[in-house]
Amino acid sequence: MLDEFRIYLELGFRHIADLAGYDHILFVTALAIPFGIRDWRRLAILVTAFTVGHSITLALATLRLVSVSSPLVETLIPATILLTALGAYTAATPQRPENPVTLSRYGMALFFGLIHGLGFSTYLRALLGNEASIASPLLAFNIGLELGQLVILGVVLTMGAALVPAILPRRRWIQFLVGVTGGLALMLLVQRLGDWS
Protein backbone atom coordinates (compact mmCIF):
# COMPACT_ATOMS: atom_id res chain seq x y z
CA MET A 1 0.00 0.00 0.00
CA LEU A 2 2.75 2.47 0.97
CA ASP A 3 4.81 1.39 -2.03
CA GLU A 4 1.88 2.08 -4.35
CA PHE A 5 1.34 5.50 -2.73
CA ARG A 6 5.02 6.37 -3.16
CA ILE A 7 4.98 5.27 -6.81
CA TYR A 8 2.02 7.53 -7.67
CA LEU A 9 3.48 10.37 -5.60
CA GLU A 10 6.69 10.19 -7.64
CA LEU A 11 4.72 9.94 -10.90
CA GLY A 12 2.77 13.09 -10.01
CA PHE A 13 5.95 14.97 -9.10
CA ARG A 14 7.76 13.87 -12.25
CA HIS A 15 4.75 14.65 -14.44
CA ILE A 16 4.57 18.30 -13.33
CA ALA A 17 8.35 18.81 -13.41
CA ASP A 18 8.94 17.01 -16.73
CA LEU A 19 10.62 19.38 -19.18
CA ALA A 20 8.98 17.49 -22.06
CA GLY A 21 5.59 18.61 -20.72
CA TYR A 22 6.76 22.16 -20.09
CA ASP A 23 3.27 23.64 -20.39
CA HIS A 24 2.68 22.76 -16.72
CA ILE A 25 5.93 24.48 -15.72
CA LEU A 26 4.97 27.54 -17.79
CA PHE A 27 1.60 27.85 -16.06
CA VAL A 28 3.05 27.67 -12.54
CA THR A 29 5.76 30.16 -13.56
CA ALA A 30 3.11 32.51 -14.99
CA LEU A 31 1.22 32.36 -11.68
CA ALA A 32 4.42 33.35 -9.85
CA ILE A 33 5.32 36.33 -12.07
CA PRO A 34 4.01 39.24 -9.98
CA PHE A 35 5.27 37.89 -6.64
CA GLY A 36 8.48 38.27 -4.71
CA ILE A 37 10.03 35.72 -2.40
CA ARG A 38 8.42 37.31 0.67
CA ASP A 39 5.01 36.52 -0.87
CA TRP A 40 5.68 32.77 -0.97
CA ARG A 41 2.86 31.88 1.45
CA ARG A 42 0.20 33.73 -0.54
CA LEU A 43 1.56 32.26 -3.74
CA ALA A 44 1.57 28.74 -2.30
CA ILE A 45 -2.13 29.18 -1.43
CA LEU A 46 -2.81 30.46 -4.96
CA VAL A 47 -1.13 27.39 -6.45
CA THR A 48 -3.12 25.19 -4.07
CA ALA A 49 -6.32 26.71 -5.54
CA PHE A 50 -5.04 25.56 -8.94
CA THR A 51 -4.37 22.09 -7.46
CA VAL A 52 -7.90 21.90 -6.05
CA GLY A 53 -9.29 22.73 -9.50
CA HIS A 54 -7.27 20.14 -11.36
CA SER A 55 -7.89 17.55 -8.62
CA ILE A 56 -11.65 17.88 -9.15
CA THR A 57 -11.60 17.34 -12.91
CA LEU A 58 -8.79 14.80 -12.66
CA ALA A 59 -10.97 12.69 -10.35
CA LEU A 60 -14.12 13.17 -12.47
CA ALA A 61 -12.35 12.37 -15.74
CA THR A 62 -10.46 9.41 -14.29
CA LEU A 63 -13.76 7.99 -13.03
CA ARG A 64 -15.15 8.67 -16.54
CA LEU A 65 -17.83 10.99 -15.17
CA VAL A 66 -16.60 13.84 -17.40
CA SER A 67 -15.29 13.56 -20.91
CA VAL A 68 -13.96 16.45 -23.00
CA SER A 69 -12.30 16.34 -26.39
CA SER A 70 -8.53 15.96 -25.92
CA PRO A 71 -7.65 18.40 -28.78
CA LEU A 72 -9.91 21.03 -27.17
CA VAL A 73 -8.24 20.63 -23.75
CA GLU A 74 -4.76 20.65 -25.30
CA THR A 75 -5.67 23.94 -27.03
CA LEU A 76 -7.18 25.51 -23.92
CA ILE A 77 -4.10 24.78 -21.77
CA PRO A 78 -1.72 27.20 -23.59
CA ALA A 79 -4.57 29.75 -23.70
CA THR A 80 -4.73 29.62 -19.88
CA ILE A 81 -0.96 30.14 -19.67
CA LEU A 82 -1.12 33.14 -22.01
CA LEU A 83 -4.02 34.71 -20.08
CA THR A 84 -2.27 34.11 -16.75
CA ALA A 85 0.96 35.72 -18.01
CA LEU A 86 -0.91 38.75 -19.38
CA GLY A 87 -2.93 39.03 -16.16
CA ALA A 88 0.28 38.90 -14.12
CA TYR A 89 1.74 41.73 -16.18
CA THR A 90 -1.25 44.00 -15.64
CA ALA A 91 -1.37 43.09 -11.92
CA ALA A 92 2.27 44.13 -11.41
CA THR A 93 1.84 47.82 -12.23
CA PRO A 94 3.73 50.56 -10.41
CA GLN A 95 0.41 51.64 -8.88
CA ARG A 96 0.03 48.18 -7.27
CA PRO A 97 3.55 47.24 -6.23
CA GLU A 98 2.46 44.81 -3.52
CA ASN A 99 0.17 42.93 -5.92
CA PRO A 100 -2.26 41.43 -3.39
CA VAL A 101 -3.81 38.07 -4.15
CA THR A 102 -7.42 38.91 -4.85
CA LEU A 103 -10.44 36.63 -4.76
CA SER A 104 -10.62 36.85 -8.56
CA ARG A 105 -7.04 35.48 -8.85
CA TYR A 106 -8.00 32.51 -6.67
CA GLY A 107 -11.07 31.97 -8.85
CA MET A 108 -8.95 32.16 -12.01
CA ALA A 109 -6.42 29.66 -10.64
CA LEU A 110 -9.22 27.29 -9.59
CA PHE A 111 -10.99 27.56 -12.97
CA PHE A 112 -7.78 27.09 -14.97
CA GLY A 113 -6.97 24.15 -12.70
CA LEU A 114 -10.20 22.50 -13.86
CA ILE A 115 -8.95 22.74 -17.46
CA HIS A 116 -5.46 21.45 -16.65
CA GLY A 117 -6.96 18.53 -14.70
CA LEU A 118 -8.63 17.34 -17.90
CA GLY A 119 -5.20 17.39 -19.55
CA PHE A 120 -3.69 15.26 -16.76
CA SER A 121 -6.58 12.78 -16.83
CA THR A 122 -5.62 10.89 -20.01
CA TYR A 123 -2.14 10.28 -18.59
CA LEU A 124 -3.47 9.16 -15.20
CA ARG A 125 -6.17 6.92 -16.69
CA ALA A 126 -3.46 5.12 -18.68
CA LEU A 127 -1.40 4.71 -15.49
CA LEU A 128 -4.26 3.41 -13.37
CA GLY A 129 -5.34 0.80 -15.87
CA ASN A 130 -7.56 -1.63 -14.01
CA GLU A 131 -6.80 -0.56 -10.43
CA ALA A 132 -9.57 -1.74 -8.09
CA SER A 133 -9.55 1.55 -6.15
CA ILE A 134 -8.34 4.84 -7.51
CA ALA A 135 -8.68 6.90 -4.30
CA SER A 136 -5.16 6.31 -2.94
CA PRO A 137 -3.36 6.58 -6.33
CA LEU A 138 -5.33 9.73 -7.17
CA LEU A 139 -4.48 11.33 -3.81
CA ALA A 140 -0.79 10.39 -4.13
CA PHE A 141 -0.62 11.69 -7.71
CA ASN A 142 -2.18 15.02 -6.70
CA ILE A 143 0.17 15.41 -3.73
CA GLY A 144 3.08 14.72 -6.09
CA LEU A 145 1.79 17.38 -8.49
CA GLU A 146 1.48 19.89 -5.64
CA LEU A 147 5.01 19.17 -4.41
CA GLY A 148 6.34 19.58 -7.96
CA GLN A 149 4.55 22.90 -8.31
CA LEU A 150 6.02 24.13 -5.02
CA VAL A 151 9.51 23.21 -6.24
CA ILE A 152 8.92 25.17 -9.47
CA LEU A 153 7.72 28.15 -7.40
CA GLY A 154 10.80 27.87 -5.21
CA VAL A 155 13.08 28.00 -8.26
CA VAL A 156 11.28 31.00 -9.82
CA LEU A 157 11.13 32.95 -6.53
CA THR A 158 14.79 32.20 -5.71
CA MET A 159 15.91 33.32 -9.17
CA GLY A 160 13.87 36.50 -8.76
CA ALA A 161 15.38 37.16 -5.32
CA ALA A 162 18.90 36.67 -6.71
CA LEU A 163 18.35 38.98 -9.70
CA VAL A 164 16.01 41.69 -8.33
CA PRO A 165 17.06 44.41 -7.72
CA ALA A 166 20.81 43.67 -7.73
CA ILE A 167 20.99 42.87 -11.45
CA LEU A 168 17.56 43.66 -12.88
CA PRO A 169 14.86 46.10 -11.82
CA ARG A 170 11.72 44.24 -10.72
CA ARG A 171 9.76 45.54 -13.72
CA ARG A 172 12.35 44.13 -16.17
CA TRP A 173 12.25 40.74 -14.42
CA ILE A 174 8.45 40.70 -14.71
CA GLN A 175 8.65 41.69 -18.38
CA PHE A 176 11.19 38.92 -19.01
CA LEU A 177 9.01 36.25 -17.37
CA VAL A 178 5.87 37.48 -19.14
CA GLY A 179 7.75 37.43 -22.45
CA VAL A 180 9.07 33.90 -21.95
CA THR A 181 5.89 32.31 -20.57
CA GLY A 182 3.52 34.28 -22.81
CA GLY A 183 5.67 33.81 -25.93
CA LEU A 184 6.02 30.04 -25.47
CA ALA A 185 2.32 29.74 -24.64
CA LEU A 186 1.41 31.65 -27.80
CA MET A 187 3.64 29.34 -29.88
CA LEU A 188 1.97 26.29 -28.30
CA LEU A 189 -1.48 27.77 -28.89
CA VAL A 190 -0.78 28.46 -32.57
CA GLN A 191 0.67 24.96 -32.98
CA ARG A 192 -2.33 23.29 -31.35
CA LEU A 193 -4.79 25.40 -33.31
CA GLY A 194 -2.91 24.28 -36.43
CA ASP A 195 -3.46 20.66 -35.41
CA TRP A 196 -7.21 21.23 -35.79
CA SER A 197 -6.91 21.93 -39.53
Side-chain angles (χ1 to χ4, degrees):
M1 182 74 169
L2 281 176
D3 282 347
E4 179 190 62
F5 192 90
R6 183 181 54 77
I7 288 166
Y8 282 100
L9 183 80
E10 288 176 4
L11 284 168
F13 182 88
R14 285 205 304 264
H15 188 62
I16 195 75
D18 183 7
L19 292 178
Y22 65 93
D23 51 347
H24 310 314
I25 296 171
L26 285 178
F27 183 79
V28 175
T29 301
L31 272 181
I33 289 171
F35 298 95
I37 201 159
R38 69 175 183 249
D39 303 314
W40 71 268
R41 283 188 187 92
R42 292 186 297 162
L43 185 53
I45 294 168
L46 185 65
V47 169
T48 300
F50 171 69
T51 300
V52 168
H54 73 60
S55 296
I56 291 168
T57 49
L58 189 54
L60 292 175
T62 303
L63 292 167
R64 301 185 191 281
L65 297 173
V66 168
S67 179
V68 180
S69 155
S70 183
L72 175 61
V73 172
E74 292 304 314
T75 303
L76 288 174
I77 286 173
T80 65
I81 300 164
L82 183 59
L83 290 171
T84 302
L86 293 174
Y89 183 75
T90 58
T93 60
Q95 293 78 25
R96 293 162 60 183
E98 293 306 309
N99 187 32
V101 179
T102 61
L103 193 57
S104 64
R105 286 180 70 80
Y106 284 117
M108 176 210 69
L110 180 71
F111 178 70
F112 288 171
L114 294 171
I115 295 168
H116 283 247
L118 293 169
F120 290 134
S121 65
T122 304
Y123 173 76
L124 187 58
R125 262 202 314 261
L127 287 175
L128 289 172
N130 296 318
E131 293 274 0
S133 170
I134 68 159
S136 177
L138 191 59
L139 176 64
F141 188 79
N142 277 308
I143 291 172
L145 287 173
E146 179 76 351
L147 291 173
Q149 289 170 169
L150 293 175
V151 168
I152 295 164
L153 287 182
V155 170
V156 173
L157 291 176
T158 301
M159 285 174 58
L163 295 172
V164 177
I167 297 171
L168 282 174
R170 182 171 181 271
R171 187 124 183 103
R172 290 279 179 255
W173 172 243
I174 288 169
Q175 289 169 342
F176 170 75
L177 287 179
V178 168
V180 170
T181 57
L184 289 171
L186 185 58
M187 284 171 41
L188 269 176
L189 182 58
V190 169
Q191 175 192 330
R192 290 176 183 176
L193 284 170
D195 293 342
W196 284 67
S197 54

